[in-house]
Amino acid sequence: MKITKFPGLSFLLFAFAATSFHEGVHAEDPAAVLDFYGREVQAGASYLIDQEDIRVVTATINPICNSDVLLSTGNEGLPVTFSPVINSTDGVIREGTLITVSFDASTCKMAGVTPMWKIGFNSTAKGYIVTTGGVDRLNQFKITKFERDSSFYQLSYCPNSEPFCECPCVPVGANSDNYLAPNVSYADFRFKPDALIRAHKMENKMVSE
């Protein structure tokens, strides 16, 4: 009797495992982050971040060398790239997943300086702000839908990626000096493909000439 029970038990275990695997395979991925034109934001592609065509995200220094990140009304935006912390099979940046953000620009040749965003203390800006010099796998952010308008997005910093810190993600906005900073205010962002923006500018220039 004991021998005849094992095939039945094995079948039940196999059926349970198969069902669980089937559900895992078909689990829905988080929604894709969409750019200004309604296309999926791709990892590694260059995007300009703006706030309702009023202010654009740029750097205090270009080429990037210990630069801070700010919202500017007078300068052209500096493009950024997004990289998922866990690589996806389709290369799409998705809402609520951990990413790193880097300026897509020439880097300073100083040792250890990168264009990757991180949070650092700045006495001039009176507190912690977004700056460059981040390290891969640390200094993580995420993108979610903006609470007040679903056509825009909110960028948040996730300090739980830092050593010895199990902390919730906090929204990134602009402080009184227009530096990007964590947990100061909400900011609604859009992402515009840098290549398309450059193409439009070139086309307009040729027409005007």
Side-chain angles (χ1 to χ4, degrees):
M1 293 297 292
K2 292 182 180 180
I3 296 176
T4 58
K5 288 181 179 180
F6 280 105
L9 179 59
S10 300
F11 175 80
L12 290 174
L13 291 173
F14 175 80
F16 176 79
T19 303
S20 300
F21 178 77
H22 182 269
E23 290 177 354
V25 168
H26 292 278
E28 292 187 5
D29 290 327
V33 175
L34 302 180
D35 67 19
F36 178 75
Y37 302 100
R39 302 172 181 174
E40 294 178 341
V41 171
Q42 300 291 323
S46 296
Y47 294 90
L48 296 173
I49 303 178
D50 80 355
Q51 187 183 35
E52 298 188 29
D53 292 323
I54 300 173
R55 298 187 294 179
V56 292
V57 172
T58 187
T60 52
I61 305 172
N62 186 20
I64 304 301
C65 183
N66 292 332
S67 175
D68 300 323
V69 184
L70 71 158
L71 277 172
S72 173
T73 56
N75 299 321
E76 291 189 2
L78 193 62
V80 303
T81 59
F82 305 109
S83 300
V85 172
I86 300 177
N87 291 330
S88 62
T89 56
D90 56 7
V92 174
I93 300 300
R94 299 189 177 277
E95 294 180 25
T97 57
L98 292 175
I99 59 172
T100 55
V101 186
S102 300
F103 278 124
D104 188 14
S106 300
T107 60
C108 177
K109 294 183 179 180
M110 292 174 58
V113 175
T114 72
M116 184 179 292
W117 289 12
K118 70 174 185 178
I119 300 298
F121 185 80
N122 185 303
S123 57
T124 304
K126 300 177 183 178
Y128 287 94
I129 62 171
V130 181
T131 185
T132 55
V135 179
D136 196 18
R137 298 292 175 179
L138 298 178
N139 316 122
Q140 296 169 4
F141 295 78
K142 71 176 181 179
I143 300 172
T144 54
K145 279 289 179 66
F146 186 60
E147 294 180 354
R148 303 172 192 172
D149 188 336
S150 61
S151 61
F152 290 86
Y153 289 93
Q154 172 69 52
L155 184 65
S156 296
Y157 171 65
C158 299
N160 58 347
S161 61
E162 303 293 352
F164 313 114
C165 181
E166 296 182 1
C167 315
C169 299
V170 293
V172 170
N175 65 16
S176 58
D177 296 316
N178 286 331
Y179 287 90
L180 286 194
N183 214 23
V184 292
S185 65
Y186 284 93
D188 49 340
F189 294 123
R190 301 180 300 186
F191 312 110
K192 296 183 177 180
D194 184 45
L196 289 180
I197 299 300
R198 291 179 183 274
H200 288 323
K201 288 182 178 180
M202 182 64 67
E203 182 179 344
N204 292 335
K205 182 179 180 180
M206 293 176 64
V207 170
S208 62
E209 293 177 350

